[in-house]
Amino acid sequence: MKSTLETLAIDGGEKTVQTTFPWPIYDESEVQAVAEVIRSGRWGNPDCGDTVAAFEQAFAAYCGTKYAVSCVNGSVSLRLALMACGVTPGDEVIVPPYTFIATASTVLEVNCVPVFVDIDPETYNLDPNAIEAAITERTKVIIPVHFAGLGCDMDAILDIARRHNLRVIEDAAHAHGAEYKGRKLGSIGDAGSFSFQSSKNLTSGEGGMVVTNDETLYRMMASLRNVGRMEGGQWYDHFNPGCNYRITQMQAVLLSQQLNRLEEQTVLRNDNGLYLNELLADIPGITPLSRGAEEVRHCYHLYIFKYDATAFGPLSRHEFVARLAAEGVPCSTGYPHPLYKQPVFQNKNFMCYAIPESVDYKAVHCPAAERACSEEAVWIFQHAMLGSREDMRSFAEAIRKIQRVVSQS
C-alpha cells in the first residue's frame, strides 16, 4: 500500500510556500529619480540642490515632528542624539540586551557605559518594571528599542524618565511607520533614531535619520552631522566636534520615492501580522509575541513567535527553523546571545573609551533575553509580511506540516 507520509522540503519534498518575496520593492520611479540626479552632476550634499532637505522635511512631517536630521546610517543617528543630549564620559545609558549591537556600541563611542536592562518576555521590548532598579546617579539616558516594529510602553518609560530627569532616545530602527496611541514611533521621546539600511522597512541601502521636536537638540545634531558647522556660519567655521555624516542626493531621492510606499506597506504588514497571530494561535508549541497592552500599530520589521521544542518531539529550534526556511518561509533564529555576551563586552575590548574598570559585563544576567536567544525566538522577515493572506496561511501550514511529520517519525 502506498505510504501517506508527508515529506518535508528539506528532505526532498515540495515546498509549502511557493511565493518569493523580493526586497527592496521599486519601479521606474526610483530609477528615474536617481538617474535625474546622476545626469545633473550634482551628487553631493550640500554641494547644491535641496533634495536632502526636502526628504528631511517630508520624513519629519510623516513622523509628526518639527525636525529631522539625516546622516549616513542608523548607528551614527544614535550617536548624534546621545551627543546632543549632553552625555559626558562615564555617564550611564540604559539599553536592552536584545537588539543590534549599535544600540550599545554607540554608547561606548560617546565614552558612556551601557547598562543592560532585561526585556519583557511577552513583547521582547525593554521592560519598564526593570528600569528603575538600574538607575543610579550617573544615569542620563534611556534608549528604548521598538523591537521588531512594536512600540515600547512609552507612557511608563517617559514617566520614569521625568521622575529621574533622564533623556529618552527612541531606537526606531525597526519602526518606520509604526504607532503608539496614535503617535508615530520616534516622535514621542526627546529624539528618535531611524536606520535606512538594506533590510529596513524604508531603505536606500544605507542611511539614517534623527527626528525631534526640540530645537536645541536639532541644531546640535545638524551641526555634528555637518563637521561642526552652524547655520549662519562660514564654510570653514567649525563650532562643534562633528564629522561629515551627510547623505548624498541620490540617497535622498531614493528615500523620497520609497517613503511614498511606506504607509501602504505598513498597513499591510500590520494586517498580515494580526492575521498570522490568529492562524498560529491554535498550533501547540507556537506562541506569537504579544502586541502589548496599549493601542499600537505594529510595522512588523520582524514577525516573532516563541517556539517550544517539547511540542515538536526532538526537534531543536535550529532544526525547526532550517525546516521552516526550506518550506519557503524567510526566517531565522535571530541573535545568538544577548549583547552583554558579545566579545567586546565580555573581554572589555573598549580601546580608548573611558569605561570604568569596575564595570563587569560577565556578571550581567537578563533571563528573558537569554531565553529569547537560546531557546525561544523565531523571526519571519519583514518582506515576507508584504505577502497575501494566502501566503500567511501557507506560513501557518508550513509549521503544521513540520509538526505532523515530526509526530509521525
Side-chain angles (χ1 to χ4, degrees):
M1 189 171 71
K2 189 175 180 179
S3 173
T4 59
L5 290 178
E6 294 177 283
T7 303
L8 294 175
I10 201 169
D11 297 319
E14 185 177 6
K15 289 198 306 184
T16 305
V17 182
Q18 296 296 320
T19 307
T20 58
F21 304 95
W23 187 257
I25 293 172
Y26 65 93
D27 61 22
E28 191 59 29
S29 63
E30 278 89 353
V31 175
Q32 183 62 32
V34 173
E36 287 177 6
V37 172
I38 293 173
R39 293 189 187 103
S40 75
R42 301 190 298 270
W43 299 357
N45 166 33
D47 290 347
C48 44
D50 58 358
T51 54
V52 174
F55 172 63
E56 289 174 336
Q57 292 162 9
F59 192 77
Y62 180 76
C63 292
T65 59
K66 293 180 181 178
Y67 309 107
V69 178
S70 61
C71 58
V72 292
N73 56 55
S75 302
V76 165
S77 60
L78 281 171
R79 185 176 182 180
L80 294 177
L82 283 163
M83 292 176 71
C85 283
V87 294
T88 58
D91 285 346
E92 296 175 354
V93 177
I94 289 174
V95 299
Y98 194 75
T99 180
F100 184 61
I101 186 69
T103 309
S105 63
T106 53
V107 176
L108 295 176
E109 287 185 322
V110 294
N111 278 313
C112 292
V113 180
V115 175
F116 293 103
V117 169
D118 208 357
I119 56 174
D120 180 335
E122 301 306 313
T123 65
Y124 287 2
N125 274 337
L126 187 64
D127 187 351
N129 296 318
I131 291 175
E132 212 141 9
I135 294 173
T136 73
E137 61 181 13
R138 297 296 299 171
T139 308
K140 294 296 175 63
V141 177
I142 304 171
I143 304 182
V145 177
H146 302 306
F147 196 76
L150 173 67
C152 293
D153 186 346
M154 290 303 295
D155 284 352
I157 291 170
L158 289 174
D159 177 65
I160 294 167
R162 280 192 295 266
R163 287 189 283 106
H164 293 274
N165 194 30
L166 306 177
R167 294 281 203 170
V168 175
I169 300 171
E170 298 172 71
D171 185 337
H174 289 183
H176 316 72
E179 296 179 357
Y180 174 88
K181 293 188 173 182
R183 299 176 67 184
K184 290 287 194 302
L185 300 183
S187 72
I188 303 169
D190 293 286
S193 169
F194 293 86
S195 169
F196 304 133
Q197 179 264 350
S198 57
S199 73
K200 299 302 189 290
N201 294 26
L202 181 66
T203 182
S204 55
E206 288 290 356
M209 185 77 83
V210 193
V211 298
T212 186
N213 288 307
D214 187 315
E215 183 177 1
T216 300
L217 289 182
Y218 162 69
R219 292 190 180 281
M220 180 56 72
M221 291 187 295
S223 174
L224 295 170
R225 176 271 308 268
N226 191 24
V227 206
R229 299 184 179 103
M230 294 287 286
E231 186 176 342
Q234 300 300 309
W235 183 251
Y236 288 115
D237 288 341
H238 306 279
F239 298 88
N240 296 298
C243 195
N244 178 5
Y245 294 128
R246 302 185 302 265
I247 64 170
T248 68
Q249 302 217 28
M250 284 175 276
Q251 288 172 286
V253 295
L254 185 56
L255 286 163
S256 294
Q257 294 298 319
Q258 290 283 298
L259 184 59
N260 294 332
R261 306 173 188 278
L262 180 59
E263 186 67 12
E264 181 180 357
Q265 290 174 341
T266 303
V267 170
L268 178 57
R269 289 188 187 98
N270 184 63
D271 289 347
N272 276 338
L274 289 168
Y275 186 49
L276 194 52
N277 283 350
E278 295 176 10
L279 295 172
L280 301 187
D282 63 349
I283 301 179
I286 302 296
T287 306
L289 287 190
S290 169
R291 290 168 59 101
E294 307 294 348
E295 175 195 345
V296 297
R297 181 170 77 171
H298 201 318
C299 71
Y300 286 105
H301 176 66
L302 300 166
Y303 180 93
I304 304 178
F305 60 83
K306 293 193 279 188
Y307 174 75
D308 181 355
T310 62
F312 287 79
L315 207 62
S316 73
R317 182 179 56 137
H318 285 280
E319 292 171 325
F320 168 80
V321 167
R323 283 153 179 76
L324 190 61
E327 293 297 329
V329 180
C331 61
S332 165
T333 55
Y335 304 125
H337 37 243
L339 288 186
Y340 53 83
K341 289 187 176 290
Q342 289 283 352
V344 63
F345 293 108
Q346 291 289 297
N347 300 332
K348 294 189 176 182
N349 294 334
F350 301 143
M351 302 174 72
C352 60
Y353 300 124
I355 309 304
E357 277 295 319
S358 59
V359 174
D360 180 13
Y361 289 107
K362 290 184 178 179
V364 177
H365 178 50
C366 295
E370 291 179 14
R371 284 195 304 274
C373 292
S374 65
E375 303 173 25
E376 297 177 343
V378 176
W379 298 358
I380 296 176
F381 301 129
Q382 59 88 3
H383 54 287
M385 300 306 292
L386 293 175
S388 66
R389 287 212 154 195
E390 177 58 34
D391 292 323
M392 300 305 110
R393 289 192 288 272
S394 69
F395 294 172
E397 175 55 26
I399 295 171
R400 290 191 180 93
K401 178 183 176 183
I402 295 169
Q403 195 164 59
R404 288 195 300 268
V405 171
V406 168
S407 69
Q408 293 168 355
S409 60

